[in-house]
Coordinates of all heavy atoms in Angstrom, one line a residue:
M293 N 0.8 -1.2 0.0 CA 0.0 0.0 0.0 C 0.9 1.3 0.0 O 0.6 2.2 -0.7 CB -0.9 0.0 1.2 CG -1.9 1.1 1.3 SD -3.1 1.0 0.0 CE -4.3 2.1 0.6
S294 N 1.9 1.3 0.8 CA 2.8 2.4 0.9 C 3.5 2.6 -0.4 O 3.8 3.8 -0.8 CB 3.7 2.4 2.0 OG 4.7 1.3 1.9
K295 N 3.8 1.5 -1.1 CA 4.5 1.6 -2.4 C 3.6 2.3 -3.4 O 4.0 3.1 -4.3 CB 5.0 0.2 -2.9 CG 6.2 -0.3 -2.3 CD 6.6 -1.6 -2.9 CE 7.8 -2.1 -2.2 NZ 8.3 -3.3 -2.8
L296 N 2.3 2.0 -3.4 CA 1.3 2.6 -4.3 C 1.2 4.1 -4.0 O 1.2 4.9 -5.0 CB 0.0 1.9 -4.1 CG -1.2 2.4 -5.0 CD1 -0.8 2.2 -6.5 CD2 -2.5 1.7 -4.6
L297 N 1.1 4.4 -2.8 CA 1.0 5.8 -2.4 C 2.3 6.6 -2.9 O 2.2 7.7 -3.3 CB 0.8 6.0 -0.9 CG -0.6 5.6 -0.4 CD1 -0.7 5.7 1.1 CD2 -1.7 6.4 -1.1
S298 N 3.4 6.0 -2.7 CA 4.7 6.6 -3.1 C 4.7 6.8 -4.6 O 5.2 7.8 -5.1 CB 5.9 5.7 -2.7 OG 6.0 5.7 -1.3
L299 N 4.2 5.8 -5.4 CA 4.2 5.9 -6.8 C 3.2 7.0 -7.3 O 3.6 7.7 -8.2 CB 3.8 4.5 -7.4 CG 3.6 4.4 -8.9 CD1 5.0 4.7 -9.5 CD2 3.1 3.1 -9.3
I300 N 2.1 7.1 -6.6 CA 1.1 8.1 -7.0 C 1.7 9.5 -6.7 O 1.6 10.4 -7.5 CB -0.2 7.9 -6.2 CG1 -0.9 6.7 -6.8 CG2 -1.1 9.1 -6.4 CD1 -2.1 6.2 -6.0
A301 N 2.3 9.6 -5.5 CA 3.0 10.9 -5.2 C 4.1 11.3 -6.1 O 4.2 12.4 -6.6 CB 3.5 10.9 -3.7
A302 N 4.9 10.3 -6.5 CA 6.0 10.6 -7.4 C 5.5 11.0 -8.8 O 6.0 11.9 -9.5 CB 6.9 9.4 -7.5
T303 N 4.4 10.3 -9.3 CA 3.8 10.6 -10.6 C 3.2 12.0 -10.5 O 3.4 12.8 -11.5 CB 2.7 9.6 -10.9 OG1 3.3 8.3 -10.9 CG2 2.1 9.9 -12.3
G304 N 2.5 12.4 -9.5 CA 2.0 13.7 -9.4 C 3.0 14.8 -9.3 O 2.9 15.8 -10.0
L305 N 4.1 14.5 -8.6 CA 5.2 15.5 -8.6 C 5.9 15.6 -10.0 O 6.2 16.7 -10.4 CB 6.3 15.0 -7.6 CG 7.5 15.9 -7.4 CD1 7.1 17.3 -6.9 CD2 8.5 15.2 -6.5
A306 N 6.1 14.5 -10.7 CA 6.7 14.6 -12.0 C 5.8 15.4 -13.0 O 6.3 16.2 -13.8 CB 6.9 13.2 -12.5
L307 N 4.5 15.1 -12.9 CA 3.6 15.9 -13.8 C 3.6 17.3 -13.5 O 3.5 18.2 -14.4 CB 2.2 15.3 -13.7 CG 2.0 13.9 -14.3 CD1 0.6 13.4 -14.0 CD2 2.2 13.9 -15.8
S308 N 3.6 17.7 -12.2 CA 3.5 19.1 -11.8 C 4.8 19.8 -12.2 O 4.8 21.0 -12.6 CB 3.2 19.3 -10.3 OG 4.3 18.8 -9.6
L309 N 5.9 19.2 -12.1 CA 7.2 19.8 -12.5 C 7.3 19.9 -14.0 O 7.9 20.9 -14.5 CB 8.4 19.0 -11.9 CG 8.6 19.0 -10.4 CD1 9.7 18.1 -10.0 CD2 8.8 20.4 -9.9
G310 N 6.8 19.0 -14.7 CA 6.8 19.0 -16.1 C 5.9 20.1 -16.7 O 6.2 20.7 -17.7
A311 N 4.8 20.4 -16.1 CA 3.9 21.4 -16.6 C 4.3 22.8 -16.1 O 3.9 23.8 -16.8 CB 2.5 21.1 -16.0
A312 N 5.0 23.0 -15.1 CA 5.4 24.3 -14.5 C 6.1 25.2 -15.5 O 5.7 26.3 -15.7 CB 6.2 24.1 -13.2
P313 N 7.1 24.7 -16.2 CA 7.8 25.7 -17.2 C 6.9 26.2 -18.3 O 7.0 27.3 -18.7 CB 8.9 24.8 -17.7 CG 9.2 23.7 -16.7 CD 7.8 23.5 -16.1
T314 N 6.0 25.3 -18.8 CA 5.1 25.8 -19.9 C 4.1 26.8 -19.4 O 3.8 27.8 -20.1 CB 4.4 24.6 -20.5 OG1 3.7 23.9 -19.6 CG2 5.4 23.7 -21.2
L315 N 3.6 26.6 -18.2 CA 2.6 27.6 -17.6 C 3.3 28.9 -17.3 O 2.8 30.0 -17.5 CB 1.9 27.0 -16.4 CG 1.0 25.8 -16.7 CD1 0.5 25.3 -15.3 CD2 -0.1 26.2 -17.6
A316 N 4.5 28.8 -16.8 CA 5.2 30.0 -16.3 C 5.7 30.9 -17.5 O 5.7 32.1 -17.4 CB 6.4 29.7 -15.5
S317 N 6.0 30.2 -18.6 CA 6.5 31.0 -19.8 C 5.4 31.6 -20.6 O 5.7 32.6 -21.3 CB 7.3 30.0 -20.7 OG 6.5 29.0 -21.2
A318 N 4.2 31.2 -20.5 CA 3.1 31.7 -21.3 C 2.5 33.0 -20.6 O 2.2 32.9 -19.4 CB 2.0 30.7 -21.5
K319 N 2.5 34.1 -21.2 CA 1.9 35.3 -20.6 C 0.4 35.4 -20.9 O 0.0 35.0 -22.0 CB 2.6 36.6 -21.2 CG 4.0 36.8 -20.7 CD 4.5 38.2 -21.3 CE 5.8 38.6 -20.6 NZ 6.2 39.9 -21.1
T320 N -0.3 35.9 -20.0 CA -1.7 36.1 -20.2 C -1.9 37.4 -21.0 O -1.0 38.2 -21.2 CB -2.4 36.3 -18.8 OG1 -2.0 37.5 -18.2 CG2 -2.2 35.1 -17.9
A321 N -3.1 37.6 -21.5 CA -3.4 38.8 -22.3 C -3.2 40.0 -21.5 O -2.6 41.0 -22.0 CB -4.8 38.7 -22.8
Q322 N -3.5 40.0 -20.2 CA -3.3 41.2 -19.3 C -1.8 41.5 -19.1 O -1.4 42.6 -19.1 CB -4.0 40.9 -17.9 CG -3.9 42.1 -17.0 CD -4.7 43.4 -17.5 OE1 -5.6 43.3 -18.3 NE2 -4.3 44.5 -17.1
Q323 N -1.0 40.4 -19.0 CA 0.4 40.6 -18.8 C 1.0 41.2 -20.1 O 1.9 42.1 -20.0 CB 1.1 39.3 -18.5 CG 0.8 38.8 -17.1 CD 1.3 37.4 -16.8 OE1 1.3 36.6 -17.7 NE2 1.7 37.2 -15.6
E324 N 0.5 40.7 -21.3 CA 1.0 41.3 -22.5 C 0.7 42.8 -22.6 O 1.4 43.6 -23.0 CB 0.4 40.5 -23.7 CG 1.0 39.2 -23.9 CD 2.4 39.2 -24.4 OE1 2.8 40.2 -25.1 OE2 3.1 38.2 -24.2
K325 N -0.6 43.1 -22.2 CA -1.1 44.5 -22.3 C -0.2 45.4 -21.4 O 0.2 46.5 -21.7 CB -2.5 44.5 -21.9 CG -3.2 45.8 -22.2 CD -4.7 45.7 -21.7 CE -5.6 46.1 -22.8 NZ -7.0 46.2 -22.4
M326 N 0.1 44.8 -20.2 CA 0.9 45.6 -19.2 C 2.3 45.9 -19.8 O 2.8 47.0 -19.6 CB 1.0 44.8 -17.9 CG 1.6 45.5 -16.8 SD 0.6 46.8 -16.2 CE 1.4 47.3 -14.7
S327 N 2.9 44.9 -20.4 CA 4.2 45.0 -21.0 C 4.2 46.1 -22.1 O 5.0 47.0 -22.2 CB 4.7 43.7 -21.6 OG 4.9 42.8 -20.6
T328 N 3.2 46.1 -22.9 CA 3.0 47.0 -24.0 C 2.8 48.4 -23.5 O 3.5 49.4 -23.9 CB 1.9 46.6 -24.9 OG1 2.1 45.3 -25.4 CG2 1.7 47.6 -26.1
C329 N 1.9 48.6 -22.6 CA 1.6 49.9 -22.0 C 2.9 50.4 -21.2 O 3.2 51.6 -21.3 CB 0.4 49.8 -21.1 SG -1.1 49.6 -21.9
N330 N 3.5 49.6 -20.5 CA 4.7 50.0 -19.8 C 5.8 50.5 -20.7 O 6.5 51.5 -20.5 CB 5.3 48.8 -19.0 CG 6.1 49.3 -17.8 OD1 6.0 50.4 -17.3 ND2 7.0 48.4 -17.4
A331 N 6.0 49.8 -21.9 CA 7.0 50.3 -22.9 C 6.6 51.6 -23.5 O 7.4 52.5 -23.7 CB 7.1 49.2 -24.0
Q332 N 5.3 51.8 -23.7 CA 4.8 53.1 -24.3 C 4.9 54.2 -23.3 O 5.0 55.4 -23.7 CB 3.4 52.9 -24.7 CG 3.2 52.0 -25.9 CD 1.8 51.8 -26.3 OE1 0.9 52.2 -25.6 NE2 1.6 51.1 -27.4
A333 N 4.9 53.9 -22.0 CA 4.9 54.9 -21.0 C 6.3 55.4 -20.6 O 6.5 56.2 -19.7 CB 4.2 54.4 -19.7
A334 N 7.3 54.9 -21.3 CA 8.7 55.3 -21.0 C 8.9 56.8 -21.1 O 8.4 57.4 -22.0 CB 9.6 54.6 -22.0
G335 N 9.5 57.4 -20.1 CA 9.7 58.8 -20.1 C 8.7 59.6 -19.3 O 8.9 60.7 -19.0
K336 N 7.5 59.0 -19.1 CA 6.5 59.7 -18.3 C 6.7 59.4 -16.9 O 7.1 58.3 -16.5 CB 5.1 59.2 -18.8 CG 4.7 59.5 -20.2 CD 3.4 58.9 -20.6 CE 2.8 59.4 -21.9 NZ 3.7 59.2 -23.0
K337 N 6.3 60.3 -16.0 CA 6.5 60.2 -14.6 C 5.3 60.7 -13.8 O 4.6 61.5 -14.3 CB 7.8 60.9 -14.1 CG 9.1 60.3 -14.7 CD 10.3 61.0 -14.1 CE 11.5 60.4 -14.7 NZ 12.7 60.9 -14.1
G338 N 5.2 60.2 -12.6 CA 4.2 60.8 -11.7 C 2.7 60.6 -12.2 O 2.4 59.6 -12.7
D339 N 2.0 61.7 -12.0 CA 0.6 61.7 -12.4 C 0.3 61.4 -13.9 O -0.6 60.8 -14.3 CB -0.1 63.0 -12.0 CG -0.3 63.1 -10.4 OD1 -0.2 62.0 -9.8 OD2 -0.4 64.2 -9.9
E340 N 1.3 61.9 -14.7 CA 1.1 61.8 -16.1 C 1.2 60.3 -16.5 O 0.4 59.7 -17.3 CB 2.2 62.5 -16.9 CG 2.2 62.4 -18.4 CD 3.4 63.0 -19.1 OE1 4.4 63.4 -18.4 OE2 3.3 63.1 -20.3
R341 N 2.2 59.6 -15.9 CA 2.4 58.1 -16.1 C 1.2 57.4 -15.6 O 0.7 56.4 -16.3 CB 3.7 57.6 -15.5 CG 3.9 56.1 -15.7 CD 5.1 55.7 -15.0 NE 5.3 54.2 -15.1 CZ 5.8 53.6 -16.1 NH1 6.3 54.3 -17.1 NH2 5.9 52.3 -16.1
K342 N 0.7 57.7 -14.4 CA -0.4 57.0 -13.8 C -1.7 57.1 -14.7 O -2.4 56.2 -14.9 CB -0.7 57.6 -12.4 CG -1.7 56.9 -11.6 CD -1.8 57.5 -10.2 CE -2.9 56.8 -9.4 NZ -3.1 57.4 -8.1
A343 N -1.9 58.4 -15.2 CA -3.1 58.6 -16.0 C -2.9 57.8 -17.4 O -3.9 57.2 -17.9 CB -3.3 60.1 -16.3
F344 N -1.7 57.8 -17.9 CA -1.5 57.1 -19.2 C -1.7 55.6 -19.0 O -2.4 55.0 -19.8 CB -0.1 57.4 -19.7 CG 0.2 56.5 -20.9 CD1 -0.2 56.9 -22.2 CD2 1.0 55.3 -20.8 CE1 0.1 56.1 -23.3 CE2 1.2 54.5 -21.9 CZ 0.8 54.9 -23.1
M345 N -1.1 55.0 -17.9 CA -1.3 53.6 -17.7 C -2.7 53.2 -17.5 O -3.2 52.2 -18.0 CB -0.4 53.2 -16.5 CG 1.1 53.2 -16.7 SD 1.6 52.1 -18.0 CE 1.5 50.6 -17.2
K346 N -3.5 54.1 -16.8 CA -4.9 53.8 -16.5 C -5.7 53.7 -17.8 O -6.4 52.8 -18.1 CB -5.5 54.8 -15.6 CG -6.9 54.6 -15.3 CD -7.5 55.6 -14.3 CE -8.9 55.3 -14.0 NZ -9.5 56.2 -13.1
S347 N -5.4 54.7 -18.7 CA -6.2 54.7 -20.0 C -5.7 53.6 -20.9 O -6.5 53.0 -21.6 CB -6.1 56.1 -20.6 OG -4.7 56.3 -21.0
C348 N -4.4 53.3 -20.9 CA -3.8 52.3 -21.8 C -4.3 50.9 -21.3 O -4.8 50.1 -22.2 CB -2.3 52.3 -21.7 SG -1.5 51.2 -22.8
L349 N -4.3 50.6 -20.1 CA -4.8 49.3 -19.6 C -6.3 49.1 -19.7 O -6.7 48.0 -19.8 CB -4.3 49.1 -18.2 CG -2.8 49.0 -18.0 CD1 -2.4 48.9 -16.5 CD2 -2.3 47.7 -18.7
S350 N -7.0 50.2 -19.6 CA -8.5 50.0 -19.7 C -9.0 50.0 -21.2 O -10.1 49.6 -21.4 CB -9.2 51.1 -18.9 OG -8.9 52.4 -19.5
A351 N -8.1 50.4 -22.1 CA -8.5 50.5 -23.5 C -8.6 49.0 -24.1 O -7.9 48.2 -23.7 CB -7.5 51.2 -24.3
Q352 N -9.6 48.9 -24.9 CA -9.7 47.6 -25.6 C -8.8 47.5 -26.8 O -8.5 48.5 -27.4 CB -11.2 47.4 -26.0 CG -12.1 47.2 -24.9 CD -13.5 46.7 -25.3 OE1 -13.7 46.5 -26.5 NE2 -14.3 46.5 -24.4
P353 N -8.4 46.3 -27.2 CA -7.5 46.1 -28.3 C -8.2 46.7 -29.6 O -9.4 46.7 -29.7 CB -7.4 44.6 -28.5 CG -7.8 44.0 -27.2 CD -8.7 45.0 -26.5
A354 N -7.4 47.3 -30.5 CA -8.0 47.9 -31.7 C -8.8 47.0 -32.5 O -9.8 47.3 -33.1 CB -6.8 48.5 -32.5
T355 N -8.4 45.7 -32.6 CA -9.1 44.8 -33.4 C -10.5 44.5 -32.9 O -11.4 44.4 -33.6 CB -8.3 43.4 -33.5 OG1 -8.1 43.0 -32.2 CG2 -7.0 43.6 -34.3
T356 N -10.6 44.4 -31.6 CA -11.9 44.2 -31.0 C -12.8 45.4 -31.1 O -14.0 45.3 -31.4 CB -11.7 43.8 -29.5 OG1 -10.9 42.7 -29.4 CG2 -13.1 43.5 -28.8
A357 N -12.2 46.6 -30.9 CA -13.1 47.8 -30.9 C -13.6 48.1 -32.3 O -14.7 48.6 -32.5 CB -12.2 49.0 -30.4
A358 N -12.8 47.8 -33.3 CA -13.2 48.1 -34.7 C -14.1 47.0 -35.3 O -14.8 47.3 -36.3 CB -11.9 48.3 -35.6
A359 N -14.1 45.8 -34.7 CA -14.8 44.7 -35.3 C -16.3 44.9 -35.0 O -16.7 45.5 -34.0 CB -14.3 43.4 -34.7
A360 N -17.1 44.3 -35.9 CA -18.6 44.3 -35.6 C -18.9 43.3 -34.5 O -18.1 42.5 -34.1 CB -19.3 43.8 -36.9
P361 N -20.1 43.5 -33.9 CA -20.4 42.6 -32.8 C -20.3 41.1 -33.2 O -20.7 40.8 -34.3 CB -21.9 43.0 -32.5 CG -22.0 44.4 -33.0 CD -21.1 44.5 -34.1
A362 N -19.8 40.3 -32.4 CA -19.5 38.9 -32.8 C -20.6 38.0 -32.6 O -20.9 37.2 -33.5 CB -18.3 38.4 -31.9
T363 N -21.4 38.1 -31.6 CA -22.5 37.1 -31.4 C -23.8 37.6 -31.9 O -24.0 38.8 -32.1 CB -22.6 36.8 -29.9 OG1 -23.1 37.9 -29.2 CG2 -21.3 36.3 -29.3
Q364 N -24.7 36.7 -32.1 CA -26.0 37.1 -32.6 C -26.7 38.0 -31.6 O -27.4 38.9 -32.0 CB -26.8 35.8 -32.9 CG -28.2 36.1 -33.6 CD -28.0 36.6 -35.0 OE1 -27.0 36.5 -35.6 NE2 -29.1 37.1 -35.5
Q365 N -26.5 37.7 -30.3 CA -27.2 38.5 -29.3 C -26.7 39.9 -29.3 O -27.5 40.9 -29.2 CB -26.9 37.8 -27.9 CG -27.7 38.5 -26.8 CD -27.5 37.8 -25.5 OE1 -26.6 36.9 -25.4 NE2 -28.2 38.2 -24.5
E366 N -25.4 40.1 -29.5 CA -24.8 41.4 -29.5 C -25.3 42.2 -30.8 O -25.6 43.4 -30.7 CB -23.3 41.4 -29.6 CG -22.7 41.0 -28.2 CD -21.2 40.7 -28.3 OE1 -20.7 40.5 -29.4 OE2 -20.6 40.6 -27.3
K367 N -25.4 41.5 -31.9 CA -26.0 42.1 -33.1 C -27.4 42.5 -32.9 O -27.8 43.6 -33.3 CB -26.0 41.1 -34.3 CG -24.6 40.8 -34.9 CD -24.7 39.9 -36.0 CE -23.4 39.5 -36.6 NZ -23.6 38.5 -37.7
M368 N -28.2 41.7 -32.2 CA -29.6 42.1 -31.9 C -29.7 43.4 -31.1 O -30.5 44.2 -31.4 CB -30.3 40.9 -31.2 CG -30.7 39.8 -32.0 SD -32.0 40.2 -33.3 CE -33.4 40.4 -32.3
K369 N -28.8 43.5 -30.1 CA -28.8 44.7 -29.2 C -28.5 45.9 -30.1 O -29.2 46.9 -30.0 CB -27.8 44.5 -28.1 CG -28.2 43.6 -27.0 CD -27.1 43.5 -26.0 CE -27.5 42.5 -24.9 NZ -26.5 42.4 -23.8
V370 N -27.5 45.8 -30.9 CA -27.1 47.0 -31.7 C -28.2 47.3 -32.7 O -28.5 48.5 -32.9 CB -25.7 46.7 -32.4 CG1 -25.4 47.8 -33.5 CG2 -24.6 46.5 -31.4
C371 N -28.7 46.3 -33.4 CA -29.7 46.6 -34.4 C -31.0 47.1 -33.8 O -31.6 48.0 -34.4 CB -30.0 45.3 -35.2 SG -28.6 44.8 -36.3
N372 N -31.4 46.6 -32.6 CA -32.6 47.1 -31.9 C -32.4 48.6 -31.6 O -33.4 49.4 -31.7 CB -32.9 46.3 -30.7 CG -33.7 45.1 -31.0 OD1 -34.6 45.2 -31.8 ND2 -33.5 44.1 -30.2
K373 N -31.2 49.0 -31.1 CA -31.0 50.4 -30.8 C -31.1 51.3 -32.1 O -31.7 52.4 -32.0 CB -29.6 50.6 -30.2 CG -29.6 50.1 -28.7 CD -28.2 50.4 -28.1 CE -28.2 49.9 -26.7 NZ -26.9 50.1 -26.1
E374 N -30.6 50.8 -33.2 CA -30.6 51.6 -34.4 C -32.0 51.6 -35.0 O -32.3 52.5 -35.8 CB -29.6 51.0 -35.4 CG -28.2 51.1 -35.0 CD -27.2 50.5 -35.9 OE1 -27.6 50.0 -37.0 OE2 -26.0 50.4 -35.6
A375 N -32.8 50.6 -34.7 CA -34.1 50.6 -35.3 C -35.2 51.4 -34.5 O -36.4 51.3 -34.9 CB -34.6 49.1 -35.4
T376 N -34.8 52.1 -33.5 CA -35.7 52.9 -32.7 C -36.4 53.8 -33.6 O -35.8 54.6 -34.4 CB -34.9 53.6 -31.6 OG1 -34.2 52.7 -30.8 CG2 -35.9 54.4 -30.7
G377 N -37.8 53.8 -33.5 CA -38.6 54.8 -34.3 C -39.2 54.1 -35.6 O -40.1 54.7 -36.1
K378 N -38.6 53.0 -36.0 CA -39.1 52.3 -37.2 C -40.2 51.4 -36.8 O -40.2 50.8 -35.7 CB -38.0 51.6 -37.9 CG -36.9 52.5 -38.5 CD -35.8 51.6 -39.1 CE -34.8 52.4 -39.8 NZ -34.2 53.5 -39.2
K379 N -41.2 51.2 -37.6 CA -42.3 50.3 -37.3 C -42.7 49.5 -38.5 O -42.5 49.8 -39.6 CB -43.6 51.1 -36.9 CG -43.4 51.9 -35.6 CD -44.6 52.6 -35.1 CE -44.3 53.3 -33.8 NZ -45.5 54.0 -33.3
G380 N -43.4 48.3 -38.2 CA -43.9 47.5 -39.3 C -42.9 46.9 -40.2 O -41.8 46.5 -39.9
D381 N -43.3 47.0 -41.5 CA -42.4 46.5 -42.6 C -41.1 47.2 -42.7 O -40.1 46.5 -43.0 CB -43.1 46.5 -43.9 CG -44.3 45.6 -44.0 OD1 -44.3 44.6 -43.3 OD2 -45.2 45.8 -44.9
E382 N -41.1 48.5 -42.4 CA -39.8 49.2 -42.4 C -38.8 48.6 -41.4 O -37.7 48.4 -41.7 CB -40.1 50.7 -42.1 CG -38.8 51.5 -42.1 CD -39.0 53.0 -41.7 OE1 -40.1 53.3 -41.2 OE2 -38.1 53.8 -41.9
R383 N -39.3 48.4 -40.2 CA -38.5 47.9 -39.1 C -38.0 46.4 -39.4 O -36.9 46.1 -39.2 CB -39.2 47.9 -37.8 CG -38.4 47.3 -36.6 CD -39.1 47.3 -35.3 NE -38.4 46.6 -34.3 CZ -37.5 47.2 -33.5 NH1 -37.2 48.5 -33.7 NH2 -36.9 46.5 -32.6
K384 N -38.9 45.6 -40.0 CA -38.6 44.3 -40.3 C -37.5 44.2 -41.4 O -36.6 43.4 -41.3 CB -39.9 43.6 -40.8 CG -39.7 42.1 -41.1 CD -41.1 41.5 -41.5 CE -40.9 40.0 -41.8 NZ -42.2 39.4 -42.1
A385 N -37.6 45.0 -42.4 CA -36.6 45.1 -43.4 C -35.3 45.6 -42.9 O -34.2 45.0 -43.2 CB -37.1 46.0 -44.6
F386 N -35.3 46.6 -42.1 CA -34.1 47.1 -41.5 C -33.4 46.1 -40.6 O -32.2 45.9 -40.7 CB -34.4 48.4 -40.6 CG -33.2 48.8 -39.9 CD1 -32.3 49.6 -40.5 CD2 -33.0 48.5 -38.6 CE1 -31.1 50.0 -39.9 CE2 -31.9 48.9 -37.9 CZ -30.9 49.7 -38.5
M387 N -34.2 45.4 -39.8 CA -33.6 44.4 -38.9 C -33.0 43.2 -39.7 O -31.9 42.8 -39.4 CB -34.6 43.9 -37.9 CG -35.1 44.9 -36.8 SD -33.8 45.3 -35.7 CE -33.6 43.8 -34.8
S388 N -33.7 42.8 -40.7 CA -33.2 41.8 -41.5 C -31.8 42.1 -42.2 O -30.9 41.4 -42.1 CB -34.2 41.4 -42.7 OG -33.7 40.5 -43.5
E389 N -31.7 43.3 -42.7 CA -30.5 43.8 -43.4 C -29.4 44.0 -42.3 O -28.3 43.6 -42.5 CB -30.8 45.1 -44.1 CG -29.7 45.5 -45.0 CD -29.4 44.5 -46.2 OE1 -30.4 43.9 -46.7 OE2 -28.2 44.3 -46.5
C390 N -29.8 44.6 -41.2 CA -28.8 44.8 -40.1 C -28.2 43.5 -39.6 O -27.0 43.5 -39.4 CB -29.5 45.6 -39.0 SG -28.3 46.1 -37.7
L391 N -29.0 42.5 -39.4 CA -28.5 41.3 -38.8 C -27.7 40.5 -39.8 O -26.9 39.6 -39.4 CB -29.7 40.5 -38.3 CG -30.4 41.0 -37.1 CD1 -31.7 40.2 -36.8 CD2 -29.5 41.1 -35.9
K392 N -27.8 40.8 -41.1 CA -26.9 40.1 -42.1 C -25.5 40.6 -42.0 O -24.6 39.9 -42.5 CB -27.5 40.3 -43.5 CG -28.8 39.5 -43.7 CD -29.3 39.8 -45.1 CE -30.7 39.1 -45.3 NZ -31.2 39.4 -46.6
K393 N -25.3 41.8 -41.6 CA -24.0 42.4 -41.6 C -23.0 41.7 -40.6 O -23.3 41.2 -39.6 CB -24.0 43.9 -41.3 CG -24.8 44.6 -42.3 CD -24.8 46.1 -42.0 CE -25.7 46.8 -43.0 NZ -25.9 48.2 -42.6

């Protein structure tokens, strides 16, 4: 029984040590963003740097901001807002065309 527990513990240790370098080397999106903003903030100090970092880190990536809504639900929200004031066949035609985009 103790040999089995030792084998399980050794296997778990080996697996955790093998996975550690790959997890540690991969940066998260937030870490990438922090690195980019930090590089852009070079030369700024004090309140100016603080304000820049806040706006830089809270900004969405350019590709996401410029892209059209990805999910059908997001498209519906956008199209519904744009269709305000339209009724009947006009609204139906507008929504159909809007949702195709």
Side-chain angles (χ1 to χ4, degrees):
M293 182 71 167
S294 66
K295 285 185 179 183
L296 179 61
L297 291 175
S298 297
L299 180 63
I300 291 172
T303 304
L305 180 63
L307 288 174
S308 67
L309 290 176
T314 56
L315 292 176
S317 64
K319 284 187 172 182
T320 65
Q322 184 64 23
Q323 288 172 327
E324 287 290 333
K325 193 180 233 187
M326 187 70 169
S327 296
T328 302
C329 291
N330 200 28
Q332 292 174 356
K336 293 177 172 53
K337 293 184 180 185
D339 290 338
E340 180 187 12
R341 180 183 174 82
K342 187 176 178 181
F344 174 80
M345 290 297 286
K346 182 178 180 180
S347 66
C348 183
L349 291 173
S350 64
Q352 293 194 356
T355 55
T356 305
T363 66
Q364 187 69 15
Q365 186 176 8
E366 290 170 342
K367 285 182 184 179
M368 284 294 289
K369 286 180 182 179
V370 170
C371 292
N372 271 327
K373 285 182 182 178
E374 292 176 8
T376 303
K378 294 178 173 51
K379 293 183 180 183
D381 290 338
E382 179 187 13
R383 181 181 173 85
K384 186 175 178 180
F386 174 81
M387 290 296 288
S388 176
E389 193 61 36
C390 183
L391 291 172
K392 288 179 186 177
K393 296 179 184 175

